[in-house]
Amino acid sequence: VQLQASGGGSVQPGGSLRLSCAASGFTFSVTHMAWYRQAPGNQRELVARLSNVGGTVYADSVKGRFTISRDNTVNTVYLQMNSLKPEDTTVYYCNAEPNPFGLSGNLWGQGTLVTVSS
């Protein structure tokens, strides 16, 4: 049971990145998925959440710039990040919420670093 995140990197302000998170070991299609981020010394905060039926929630700070999506055929959730700002710089984590179909607790990916700088 794991989540494997990828896609982080360095980009200039105004640029774009797409994060990916590949899931394995549980029934992905019925699982609500999310992306969080955490800066040093701060609490982990929700960036975007995508339910198993397509409902989305976004942090106010990323609305209109970030898009969360999923592909159940490859058990992957994505975070498309456009118009990136320096304040988006931090480590991003994907999350799978617990459910009765093989996931008894919150599952976290290993984190991927996004750096937005000129």
Side-chain angles (χ1 to χ4, degrees):
V1 179
Q2 67 174 356
L3 297 173
Q4 183 69 40
S6 61
S10 296
V11 65
Q12 293 186 338
S16 298
L17 282 174
R18 189 177 80 155
L19 306 183
S20 300
C21 178
S24 61
F26 61 95
T27 308
F28 180 79
S29 62
V30 301
T31 302
H32 305 321
M33 301 295 298
W35 287 95
Y36 286 74
R37 62 188 182 187
Q38 185 173 23
N42 290 350
Q43 287 191 329
R44 195 167 292 188
E45 64 172 359
L46 177 68
V47 175
R49 180 185 184 270
L50 177 59
S51 77
N52 58 358
V53 293
T56 57
V57 174
Y58 293 95
D60 287 343
S61 59
V62 307
K63 282 180 182 176
R65 301 189 297 123
F66 291 10
T67 303
I68 188 171
S69 62
R70 65 193 297 159
D71 185 342
N72 291 340
T73 65
V74 292
N75 292 351
T76 300
V77 62
Y78 305 98
L79 185 67
Q80 178 66 43
M81 304 185 295
N82 299 329
S83 302
L84 282 161
K85 304 176 180 180
E87 51 262 44
D88 296 318
T89 295
T90 190
V91 179
Y92 287 72
Y93 299 88
C94 57
N95 167 261
E97 297 181 8
N99 63 53
F101 306 101
L103 207 54
S104 59
N106 267 301
L107 182 66
W108 296 94
Q110 83 281 16
T112 185
L113 177 63
V114 171
T115 302
V116 184
S117 174
S118 55

